[in-house]
Amino acid sequence: QLNELQRPPQLNQGTKLRLSGVKNEEDYTRPPDYLKESELIELMDKHGIGTDASIPSHVQNIIDRRYAEVCHPGYDGQPGKRALTDEQIAKIRWKNPGEKIEMPASRHMVPTGMGLAILAGFEQIDNELCEPEVRAFMERQVAMIADGSESMQDVLKANIELFERKFLKFRDNMSVFEPFFRSKSQGGGSYRDYGSGGGGNAWGGENAWWQDGYGYGSNGEWPGSGGGGGHQQSDWRGEA
């Protein structure tokens, strides 16, 4: 090894060097760390979800509702310790202004058990609500109202009808959603086994209720995609 301040040795073609040793290091690939808060914000911006003003409040909402928590950097797929909230930091500084507070080198968004259970339930009932394009479509509609290419009344009517169907679909299928929140002692499942309590996929099959078009309009499509949505407008997939 050469010190950067040392002058490199003069080497010529054919110069013989003495071998001081051989070392073989073995290492393994490791899973990536949890998504950073800044990376989540970048992804939301990339997919057109929220604005510069609203994105921070969206992130804070999922933390306040205990769907995710902010943690220090993790290691080997495991989350780091939980970061202090602004409220906790304020209390510490109020009690002991001179106390040193350890701030995370980077803030990572780690989903909680409740957050994962809610997501798993949504995936079983209406997976499209878990995808970013649904919210991005709504954001584009708002922009179209602003530039005058769509009327607020038409956009509002289409979205209310759409999400009313989705609400009714959830209400009628709460028996699918509820097992994710039972304790194991009561035979409950988890997001890992789709709520079946370890017994495999409890609601699968080619004739399962989520295979049909229920909740998406009379022809199984979203409003504006060519079927009974009334006013013709771009659907959430960007199709005319």
Side-chain angles (χ1 to χ4, degrees):
Q1 294 183 354
L2 296 175
N3 188 306
E4 291 182 357
L5 299 178
Q6 292 177 338
R7 180 176 297 176
Q10 295 294 325
L11 299 177
N12 300 312
Q13 187 173 358
T15 300
K16 293 183 179 181
L17 301 175
R18 183 173 59 87
L19 186 64
S20 61
V22 177
K23 182 169 62 174
N24 181 27
E25 293 186 357
E26 186 177 273
D27 203 352
Y28 302 91
T29 58
R30 294 182 176 86
D33 205 347
Y34 285 89
L35 199 68
K36 294 179 183 178
E37 186 177 37
S38 58
E39 292 171 336
L40 174 60
I41 292 173
E42 287 177 5
L43 286 171
M44 293 176 69
D45 184 61
K46 175 182 176 181
H47 290 282
I49 298 175
T51 63
D52 291 343
S54 65
I55 284 178
S57 64
H58 294 327
V59 174
Q60 190 60 45
N61 281 340
I62 66 174
I63 296 172
D64 293 343
R65 294 168 184 172
R66 306 293 192 270
Y67 300 154
E69 55 189 17
V70 179
C71 293
H72 288 246
Y75 179 76
D76 202 15
Q78 298 300 315
K81 66 179 181 179
R82 187 181 305 169
L84 295 174
T85 65
D86 292 340
E87 183 180 357
Q88 290 171 326
I89 292 174
K91 287 182 178 179
I92 292 172
R93 287 178 172 162
W94 181 77
K95 291 181 179 179
N96 187 359
E99 183 174 345
K100 184 178 180 180
I101 298 175
E102 181 185 2
M103 304 300 289
S106 54
R107 295 165 56 88
H108 295 260
M109 304 294 294
V110 179
T112 63
M114 180 173 70
L116 291 170
I118 289 175
L119 178 62
F122 268 66
E123 286 177 335
Q124 291 295 313
I125 297 176
D126 193 341
N127 183 61
E128 286 179 330
L129 287 177
C130 305
E131 299 296 330
E133 187 58 30
V134 176
R135 178 56 186 260
F137 170 61
M138 296 172 64
E139 298 278 1
R140 291 196 297 269
Q141 286 184 308
V142 172
M144 293 168 72
I145 294 174
D147 66 22
S149 57
E150 289 287 353
S151 72
M152 184 181 72
Q153 291 75 16
D154 289 335
V155 170
L156 190 62
K157 181 175 182 294
N159 278 275
I160 289 177
E161 291 175 351
L162 170 64
F163 284 97
E164 180 184 22
R165 291 195 297 270
K166 288 183 176 296
F167 169 78
L168 294 175
K169 182 179 179 180
F170 258 83
R171 186 191 65 182
D172 295 341
N173 290 282
M174 285 303 293
S175 60
V176 173
F177 200 67
E178 184 268 339
F180 290 97
F181 297 90
R182 289 189 202 144
S183 65
K184 290 289 186 178
S185 62
Q186 295 178 322
S190 75
Y191 61 90
R192 294 185 178 90
D193 55 22
Y194 302 98
S196 63
N201 190 341
W203 310 291
E206 61 181 0
N207 295 320
W209 54 265
W210 64 80
Q211 302 288 353
D212 62 23
Y214 181 69
Y216 299 95
S218 59
N219 63 346
E221 296 178 323
W222 284 58
S225 58
H231 181 66
Q232 179 71 27
Q233 52 187 328
S234 298
D235 76 0
W236 68 278
R237 298 177 180 85
E239 299 168 352

